[in-house]
Amino acid sequence: MTVTKRLAAPKFWPIEKKTKKFVISPTPGPHAKSECIPTGLLLRDVLKYARTSKEAKSILNKRFVKIDGKVRKDIGFPVGLMDVFSIGNEHYRVLPSKKGLKLIAIEDSSISVKLCRIENKQCIGKKIQLNLHDGRNILVDKDDFNTGDTVVLDLGNNAVKNIIKMKKGSLGLIISGKNSGKIGNISEIITTKSPHPNKILMETDGRLYEVLKNYVFVVGHEKPVINLFAN
C-alpha cells in the first residue's frame, strides 16, 4: 500500500493532519490525485464502515464494494467525480461541493446511470473515439459529439443512452473553483480564440457568474438528468 504525507494530502480529504504522519495514497487510476478520494478513506473516514485500514481491507477483500458497478479490492483505488460508490445495498454518487468532493445517497434505480464529460475525441479508423473525464474511452459511429458535451452512460453495457449538449440554456454544474457545487443555466459561452481559456456565463441564485469552461459540467436541459441533491 502506497502512502502520502498527511500534510501534503488534498485539503478536502476528511482526515486529521497532525495525529499521524501518513495516510492512504490513491493508486494510479481514472482520476488525478487532487481530484479523488482513495477507497479506503471513504470506508474509514467518510462512511465509517471501518475503524482502521486493516478493517477497510477486510471489507474490500470480501467483495462488498463496487465502483461504477465493478468490484474493487484496492484500498487506494481513486474515487472521483460522478462515480457511483456501492457497499452492500447502499449506493452513493460523488459530486462537487464548495469544500471539495462529497457523497450523496442515491436510489437503486439510478446506480446504473453515470454522466461523463467529453474531454476530447479522435478518429479511430471509421469510428470516433470519445475520451471521457473518468479515463473511459468509447467508440461511436457518428460524430454528433463535441468536447464539453456530457454523455449519459449505461454502466451495465457501457453504452451511450443520451447526450447533453453544452450550449446556451443547458444546466451546468460548477465542479471547481470558489463556486464549486453550484448549478445554473448557461447564459453565454465565450470563445476567446486566444491563449486565454474559454469562459461561460452562468446564471444561478439570481446572479451571473463568469466561470472557466473547463469548470462547467453540463447535467441537463430543463432539469438535471440525475439527482444532484442529498435526500
Side-chain angles (χ1 to χ4, degrees):
M1 178 180 69
T2 57
V3 293
T4 294
K5 287 187 176 180
R6 286 178 178 251
L7 291 177
K11 292 182 179 179
F12 65 87
W13 287 10
I15 56 174
E16 295 179 351
K17 296 288 186 179
K18 297 181 179 180
T19 53
K20 296 181 181 178
K21 187 174 183 180
F22 298 104
V23 68
I24 301 166
S25 183
T27 52
H31 301 283
K33 179 178 179 178
S34 61
E35 300 171 351
C36 74
I37 305 176
T39 298
L41 252 65
L42 285 179
L43 290 173
R44 186 188 66 191
D45 299 274
V46 179
L47 298 174
K48 309 295 184 182
Y49 281 108
R51 292 172 296 177
T52 63
S53 295
K54 184 177 180 179
E55 290 182 1
K57 287 180 180 179
S58 177
I59 292 172
L60 290 165
N61 287 332
K62 291 177 181 177
R63 303 174 66 87
F64 288 152
V65 173
K66 292 182 179 181
I67 299 171
D68 288 346
K70 293 185 178 181
V71 173
R72 299 293 182 183
K73 297 193 290 183
D74 179 6
I75 196 171
F77 189 86
V79 183
L81 183 66
M82 293 296 173
D83 286 353
V84 176
F85 184 91
S86 303
I87 176 166
N89 294 322
E90 296 186 9
H91 312 284
Y92 304 87
R93 194 181 304 278
V94 182
L95 294 172
S97 70
K98 190 173 183 179
K99 295 183 178 180
L101 297 176
K102 66 177 182 180
L103 293 182
I104 67 162
I106 59 175
E107 302 295 331
D108 289 357
S109 58
S110 65
I111 64 174
S112 63
V113 177
K114 182 179 181 180
L115 303 188
C116 291
R117 187 175 67 180
I118 301 172
E119 298 298 316
N120 53 66
K121 59 182 183 177
Q122 61 192 103
C123 292
I124 304 292
K126 294 183 179 180
K127 292 182 178 291
I128 303 297
Q129 177 176 290
L130 306 178
N131 303 317
L132 308 180
H133 83 279
D134 64 349
R136 209 179 295 258
N137 303 314
I138 294 180
L139 290 175
V140 294
D141 295 320
K142 295 182 179 180
D143 190 10
D144 297 330
F145 306 85
N146 294 314
T147 299
D149 291 347
T150 294
V151 293
V152 183
L153 282 186
D154 183 337
L155 293 173
N157 55 19
N158 206 39
V160 177
K161 296 177 62 178
N162 203 350
I163 179 172
I164 308 169
K165 305 295 289 185
M166 178 175 274
K167 62 181 183 178
K168 183 177 179 180
S170 295
L171 279 176
L173 171 66
I174 302 175
I175 60 173
S176 189
K178 64 181 181 181
N179 295 307
S180 182
K182 290 186 176 181
I183 303 171
N185 288 293
I186 296 175
S187 298
E188 183 181 356
I189 299 175
I190 304 169
T191 303
T192 60
K193 296 182 180 179
S194 72
H196 299 288
N198 296 331
K199 298 179 180 180
I200 285 179
L201 285 180
M202 282 184 56
E203 183 180 354
T204 180
D205 301 329
R207 296 178 56 190
L208 275 178
Y209 293 88
E210 186 177 80
V211 187
L212 294 180
K213 185 179 178 182
N214 287 341
Y215 286 3
V216 177
F217 196 118
V218 285
V219 293
H221 295 297
E222 294 181 358
K223 62 179 183 179
V225 299
I226 59 171
N227 178 35
L228 298 175
F229 305 98
N231 295 325

